Amino acid sequence: MRIYNDLTRRKEELIPQQENHVTVYVCGPTVYDLFHLGNARPFVVYDTLRRYLLYKNVEVTYVQNFTDIDDKMINRAQALNITVKQLADEMIKEYYHDADNLNVMRADYHPRATETIPEIIEMISILEEKGYTYILHDGVYFDTSKFADYGKLSRRDLDDQEAGASERVELLDDKRNLSDFVLWKLKKEGEPAWESPWGEGRPGWHIECSAMSKKYLGDTIDIHAGGMDLMFPHHENEIAQSEAANGKPFVNYWMHNGFINVDNVKMAKSGGNFFLVRELAGEYGYDVLRFFILQAHYRMPLNFEEEPLMAATHGWQRILRSVENIEFLIANANPEFDQTQSAELSDYIITTIKEFERAMDDDLNTPDAFAAIFNLVRHVNIVSTDYALSADSLEKARNCIVELCAVLGLDAEKKAEAEIPADILEQVKLRDQAKAERDFVTADRIRDELNALGYKIEDTPQGPKVSREVEN
RNA sequence: GGCACCAUAGCCAAGUGGUAAGGCAGGGGUCUGCAAAACCCUUAUUCUCCAGUUCAAAUCUGGAUGGUGCCUCCA
């Protein structure tokens, strides 16, 4: 599999340090509020990467942190008159609610910054011993000028940055360099704090990821992922800290996803132009949101709009209906089937899987992966209307669609699993009798009644097909 | 001021040297008692524009235009 590595700005073959075992660290949410669609993109995208690696029988150790202590946490907790810990516990619960429904697998480790304090302090101490830090009145700082490779990920030249930015960015305070950042913030009145060699305080933002990554995955990890906006300064700073402290490369492959925009402007809490996943799910359903995210390539900007959301709704329905239709055909399969066409369908399935894997192997090209699935859907629809297919080949087609969707974290069986109650089936039978007697008034009345109850009847060459409309 | 990214049909979106995937929407049709689903036809001689390289460019190079992001919390 090739992935685009932001460190080299090229697609590279993914070669993990340990054969057949990939370590992944994804920057998780700051748990001060429900997350919005833009926040959801990395969760869904890197979950899909994980699922695909698992599908390829590659072992994955996956870490996604919770940032549960920072200014936003403190401010929100104060506003709600609860402790920071209470806020974090509550919001982590809410995170799981949305993430589980988006079918984002739980990470192998979901560390919290506040539960990694000893490791953070240890790392700062090492940096201090090695001479990378200095102390100001409000905390311990990292001196970026001491780290020769600073800027290698985001390709920034510190002097140029400072020259132009000084017009609009506040002055350096007492920092030695504009890009220097705080490792340990000394306690201010009313803030949660932990003991440390530098006095009571709390970790700066960047150090937590370095410490948690090291704690669970070691000095050098295979993949570190997050949103584009984290590339600088967050990930740049992580590299500086980790490599300065560990003396080893921090990350082999950096992956960054593009933003979700609203009217072509980045969706952000601070911009006020955000849509919570919780709210959107009520309108479109979690599956559709996941489908929507994955129908664009993860590095491209994705504009949030009504029409594409509806397109995602209908596109996903097309797949669900196809699975449902195939299952109906299997249940009513004719023992006298067309051998040539059945064999040909089996071949087409193999082609589909190849196309799907080719797409996914190419830097997680999920739009192309969907195209492969849709091609199979159309193919099955075409041959199954003209020929009787073997139950075996139909089953393979059904399983192929379901399995490939599952790799993308989408459950295409959900709808089909809904049981139809006996009394509904009884009504369907009555309608069929009325139809046979050409009593279409009665037949249509029954159909309308069942529609009102949420059941859909479709007449097919194999007889009436009844299905339940699935709510989101 | 610096550093990046994006520009493909009505909409969304792949494709990065070999003659424009896929989804949605629209129009027409087949099937149906009527529907639904499905299928067929139709929708970009062309990929923001201008030059250049090449037998060949949406794809490479240079330039222009428009839009966005980061440099401050940020997925």
Side-chain angles (χ1 to χ4, degrees):
Chain A
M1 172 176 202
R2 282 152 56 85
I3 62 173
Y4 186 87
N5 186 356
D6 278 303
L7 205 54
T8 57
R9 306 277 159 100
R10 279 204 309 260
K11 284 184 196 171
E12 296 176 352
E13 189 61 35
L14 174 61
I15 303 168
Q17 302 167 88
Q18 296 174 54
E19 197 177 339
N20 223 40
H21 183 178
V22 176
T23 50
V24 183
Y25 185 97
V26 178
C27 281
T30 300
V31 284
Y32 73 108
D33 199 358
L34 297 176
F35 62 84
H36 61 65
L37 228 216
N39 298 316
R41 172 121 91 151
F43 305 153
V44 166
V45 162
Y46 304 118
D47 176 70
T48 304
L49 171 68
R50 182 189 189 186
R51 286 172 180 275
Y52 184 61
L53 290 170
L54 293 173
Y55 163 82
K56 304 242 290 183
N57 289 315
V58 175
E59 197 183 333
V60 180
T61 304
Y62 197 89
V63 178
Q64 183 181 291
N65 69 292
F66 289 116
T67 296
D68 60 350
I69 177 69
D70 81 332
D71 289 348
K72 287 198 294 283
M73 293 293 301
I74 292 168
N75 294 338
R76 179 61 60 95
Q78 276 173 356
L80 296 172
N81 202 27
I82 56 176
T83 66
V84 168
K85 176 147 189 352
Q86 285 171 327
L87 175 66
D89 289 346
E90 179 61 28
M91 285 304 149
I92 286 172
K93 214 170 75 193
E94 300 294 349
Y95 165 85
Y96 282 132
H97 177 88
D98 285 328
D100 289 349
N101 278 110
L102 282 170
N103 213 11
V104 172
M105 291 169 69
R106 300 268 177 127
D108 295 303
Y109 302 98
H110 272 292
R112 294 167 64 156
T114 58
E115 292 171 355
T116 319
I117 300 292
E119 289 82 359
I120 290 171
I121 290 173
E122 193 194 338
M123 188 172 257
I124 299 173
S125 299
I126 292 170
L127 290 170
E128 188 171 44
E129 281 164 29
K130 292 192 174 181
Y132 286 101
T133 68
Y134 59 91
I135 294 175
L136 294 180
H137 67 281
D138 60 344
V140 181
Y141 284 78
F142 186 95
D143 185 342
T144 51
S145 66
K146 297 266 173 65
F147 184 72
D149 280 343
Y150 194 80
K152 70 176 172 183
L153 175 63
S154 54
R155 318 259 163 125
R156 279 156 207 260
D157 180 275
L158 293 181
D159 295 334
D160 289 350
Q161 296 279 131
E162 292 187 20
S166 60
E167 295 168 12
R168 38 179 295 279
V169 175
E170 73 282 6
L171 297 174
L172 297 179
D173 299 325
D174 299 325
K175 290 198 294 185
R176 294 179 187 171
N177 311 286
L178 182 71
S179 52
D180 291 355
F181 54 93
V182 68
L183 295 165
W184 189 259
K185 281 188 176 179
L186 292 174
K187 179 182 179 177
K188 287 187 212 145
E189 199 47 44
E191 290 183 355
W194 289 262
E195 289 291 342
S196 87
W198 313 280
E200 278 192 295
R202 58 186 165 99
W205 175 35
H206 313 294
I207 191 71
E208 60 171 87
C209 285
S210 285
M212 289 187 264
S213 177
K214 182 184 167 85
K215 179 176 179 181
Y216 294 96
L217 300 172
D219 288 345
T220 304
I221 66 175
D222 295 313
I223 297 174
H224 191 124
M228 281 294 303
D229 47 0
L230 297 183
M231 193 143 106
F232 189 91
H234 186 54
H235 289 161
E236 202 69 71
N237 292 349
E238 286 183 48
I239 292 173
Q241 296 162 335
S242 290
E243 300 196 350
N246 302 331
K248 290 182 193 160
F250 177 41
V251 171
N252 288 140
Y253 303 88
W254 282 96
M255 297 176 76
H256 294 97
N257 57 276
F259 300 128
I260 290 184
N261 297 151
V262 181
D263 295 329
N264 292 311
V265 177
K266 177 187 176 187
M267 181 184 292
K269 288 255 171 64
S270 55
N273 60 340
F274 62 91
F275 294 84
L276 296 176
V277 165
R278 185 68 55 87
E279 288 168 1
L280 292 172
E283 195 171 343
Y284 298 99
Y286 285 98
D287 288 344
V288 167
L289 297 180
R290 182 160 183 133
F291 183 99
F292 175 74
I293 288 171
L294 293 178
Q295 53 85 35
H297 185 85
Y298 76 94
R299 284 192 284 112
M300 293 296 133
L302 209 202
N303 214 26
F304 171 88
E305 279 178 77
E306 173 83 19
E307 199 179 341
L309 249 326
M310 286 313 294
T313 304
H314 294 147
W316 177 230
Q317 275 173 2
R318 177 170 165 83
I319 291 175
L320 292 177
R321 270 199 302 261
S322 145
V323 170
E324 196 183 67
N325 289 340
I326 295 170
E327 286 179 351
F328 184 77
L329 288 174
I330 293 170
N332 297 279
N334 192 333
E336 303 285 314
F337 57 85
D338 186 310
Q339 294 215 358
T340 312
Q341 293 298 328
S342 298
E344 200 270 343
L345 176 58
S346 298
D347 287 345
Y348 200 91
I349 291 163
I350 292 167
T351 305
T352 299
I353 292 170
K354 273 190 199 143
E355 283 298 299
F356 179 88
E357 292 182 0
R358 185 197 55 73
M360 294 294 278
D361 280 337
D362 182 18
D363 194 31
L364 213 65
N365 192 335
T366 51
D368 266 359
F370 274 122
I373 295 172
F374 276 113
N375 282 334
L376 174 59
V377 165
R378 181 164 32 77
H379 191 81
V380 175
N381 287 338
I382 291 170
V383 289
S384 65
T385 48
D386 290 344
Y387 302 95
L389 297 165
S390 68
D392 179 59
S393 65
L394 287 167
E395 206 140 329
K396 276 193 212 155
R398 189 212 85 106
N399 291 344
C400 179
I401 295 169
V402 168
E403 279 165 24
L404 296 185
C405 284
V407 173
L408 301 174
L410 290 162
D411 182 2
E413 292 181 295
K414 199 179 276 180
K415 186 170 181 171
E417 278 171 357
E419 287 279 332
I420 309 298
D423 57 321
I424 299 293
L425 291 176
E426 189 58 33
Q427 291 293 308
V428 173
K429 205 176 278 177
L430 286 176
R431 173 176 172 275
D432 218 33
Q433 278 171 16
K435 255 186 62 178
E437 291 157 13
R438 304 193 68 77
D439 177 3
F440 296 119
V441 175
T442 303
D444 288 352
R445 180 178 53 76
I446 294 174
R447 185 169 63 189
D448 289 344
E449 286 169 3
L450 292 177
N451 276 347
L453 290 171
Y455 294 91
K456 197 168 88 177
I457 302 181
E458 297 164 67
D459 294 318
T460 78
Q462 288 82 20
K465 172 168 161 308
V466 58
S467 57
R468 175 138 180 74
E469 294 299 324
V470 174
E471 294 298 318
N472 296 322

